[in-house]
Amino acid sequence: MSTRFVRFMHSLAKASQDATSKTYKFVPLQDFTTTSDIDWSKPIPEIDQQLYAKYGLTEEKIVFIGSMIKPMA
């Protein structure tokens, strides 16, 4: 839940502050094992870039997500 990608996908289904299981319906399941196509040992901004590439996001979409979701402090 630290990446902008996941928080944006989660926000798509949220109409309020409630975070029920239904609000995660757009968040894709990931492989967190060492054989994953994502290197989870990288810093969060780099993981975001890997996720953007994995799901084929355009630069325009990446900029939009960046404008909507602020980095975690």
Side-chain angles (χ1 to χ4, degrees):
M1 285 297 297
S2 297
T3 65
R4 286 182 176 188
F5 176 80
V6 170
R7 289 185 290 132
F8 177 76
M9 298 304 285
H10 180 240
S11 74
L12 294 176
K14 284 183 69 172
S16 69
Q17 291 298 323
D18 295 331
T20 65
S21 61
K22 291 179 183 177
T23 63
Y24 292 92
K25 67 182 177 184
F26 297 123
V27 177
L29 293 176
Q30 299 296 323
D31 175 6
F32 293 103
T33 68
T34 56
T35 60
S36 174
D37 53 346
I38 303 293
D39 183 350
W40 301 106
S41 67
K42 299 286 185 184
I44 297 299
E46 289 182 38
I47 293 172
D48 264 325
Q49 292 304 314
Q50 292 177 67
L51 290 166
Y52 297 151
K54 178 177 181 175
Y55 293 104
L57 273 66
T58 64
E59 188 61 33
E60 183 180 29
K61 291 177 182 176
I62 294 168
V63 169
F64 179 73
I65 291 172
S67 72
M68 299 296 292
I69 307 296
K70 301 303 174 205
M72 293 184 75

